[in-house]
Structures are given as C-alpha cells and as structure tokens.
Amino acid sequence: MSLPFPNTEGFYVGRYNKPVKGRKINWLKAGILEAHRVLTVSPYYAQELVSGVEKGVELDNYLRTTGITGIVNGMDVQEWNPATDKYLSTKYEITTVSALYYVLVPKNANLKDKVGDFRDLLVQVLSAKPLLKEELQAEVGLPVDRDIPVIGFIGRLEEQKGSDILAAAIPMLVKNNVQIIVLVSVNFNILFS
C-alpha cells in the first residue's frame, strides 16, 4: 500500500500504533494527525468533541492534542440586517430588544421619557414584519394571510440537514394550515442518476 503520508504510525484503529494483520487504518484519525488545522461547524461542537470518548468517538484525545477550532455557523449580521437590507421594502431595527430592556429596567432614567421612544421602535418592528411576511407569501404564490404561520427551510436535501424530518412533518403542518417555503440546493446528477 502506497500511502501519501510519510509515516502511518498511529493511524490504526484503537490504541495500536503499528500495522498488525487484520487491523485497519482509521482515515479520520490519520486526517486529524496530519492536518495543519482541524475545523468543525461551531465552537460549541468543537468543545463537545473534546469533552470525552462518547462525544469524540474515541478521537477526543487526538483532537485535544492537535487542537480543533469551531467556526461560527450562522448568518452574517452585516449582510442580513433588516435595517439596511436592500431586498426588504420595509426596514426595521433590532434595537427593540435593548429598548425593551431599557424601558423595563431603567437605570437613573425617567420612565416617562423612554416609553415614547420604545413605543416608536415597537410599532416600527411590529408593523414591518407582517408586511414583509405578506410580501413573501405573495412572491412565492401562497395565499396572503398574516395570521397563517409560515415555516422556512433553506438547505441541502440531505438527512444530515433535517430535510427528512421536514418531509415527514409536511402533511401534519399542512393539515394545521401552516405554510411552508423551501429553498434548497440539489445535485441533480445524484438526484436523477
């Protein structure tokens, strides 16, 4: 066997370091040991993987030794900002939450002065979101009704992403008058092969 690694010592399944007939190479372990950097989908998941044998699937010691970095898996709040998003016809700001806290827990502030500011922000958000929801419903061809719940799914059609769970839930959701909007990426070569 001609491996691309300079040394296969330590790549075997379990605690074995030398090749023994019948023992198999653990390619994930080999990748971890040879990688310049190991990344995963979130900081929390990186911590979970090194927390013990069960979570790290017996690779936790190697991950602790080499190090693992969790990349924040989420949206870019600069690009997806409802106050500046060029695709939203009605803009609103996230400051409502902090304004609510400031109104409910004032520190050395006159409550009467703050209620008006908060009310303006609250009206802005509460009026914008239903309007945007109605625009989305119309754009995708659903009945426009601000009282109908809308669920969105954006992802790949793979079990790993939960699309199987969504597919199983669709009949119950539709029966309960829930609208579903799905935006997926599909590899048509795999899908229709």
Side-chain angles (χ1 to χ4, degrees):
M1 177 186 305
S2 175
L3 296 174
F5 308 111
N7 179 359
T8 60
E9 190 172 303
F11 291 173
Y12 294 89
V13 174
R15 293 178 292 239
Y16 305 104
N17 290 323
K18 303 272 184 209
V20 175
K21 186 176 179 177
R23 295 213 178 105
K24 297 181 178 153
I25 289 180
N26 182 332
W27 291 108
L28 186 55
K29 180 179 172 184
I32 290 168
L33 293 173
E34 288 295 313
H36 294 285
R37 192 165 192 189
V38 179
L39 304 174
T40 189
V41 297
S42 73
Y44 176 79
Y45 189 56
Q47 290 173 351
E48 193 174 290
L49 286 172
V50 297
S51 68
V53 174
E54 302 81 30
K55 301 286 185 175
V57 195
E58 298 183 9
L59 295 171
D60 54 302
N61 283 332
Y62 305 106
L63 291 169
R64 267 194 297 280
T65 301
T66 61
I68 184 167
T69 302
I71 298 171
V72 175
N73 190 8
M75 66 181 186
D76 180 339
V77 294
Q78 298 303 318
E79 183 177 349
W80 297 95
N81 181 343
T84 60
D85 193 324
K86 65 182 177 183
Y87 297 106
L88 295 181
S89 61
T90 307
K91 312 284 191 236
Y92 64 96
E93 294 190 29
I94 197 164
T95 55
T96 305
V97 175
S98 59
L100 177 61
Y101 179 79
Y102 193 66
V103 168
L104 295 178
V105 188
K107 292 185 180 176
N108 303 323
N110 184 347
L111 183 60
K112 291 178 183 175
D113 293 341
K114 300 301 171 195
V115 170
D117 294 340
F118 172 69
R119 188 180 308 118
D120 293 343
L121 286 170
L122 187 59
V123 167
Q124 180 186 14
V125 172
L126 293 179
S127 61
K129 291 187 93 171
L131 291 173
L132 294 167
K133 177 183 173 182
E134 289 173 349
E135 285 180 27
L136 176 63
Q137 289 170 317
E139 187 172 329
V140 298
L142 292 170
V144 175
D145 184 340
R146 65 174 59 184
D147 295 325
I148 295 177
V150 175
I151 295 176
F153 176 86
I154 301 173
R156 296 190 309 269
L157 287 180
E158 296 179 11
E159 284 185 27
Q160 178 188 26
K161 298 298 179 184
S163 57
D164 57 324
I165 297 167
L166 176 64
I170 285 175
M172 186 232 7
L173 293 169
V174 171
K175 181 180 171 185
N176 288 294
N177 200 28
V178 175
Q179 295 176 340
I180 305 161
I181 300 171
V182 179
L183 175 64
V184 297
S185 58
V186 179
N187 183 337
F188 286 101
N189 293 329
I190 293 172
L191 189 63
F192 295 112
S193 61

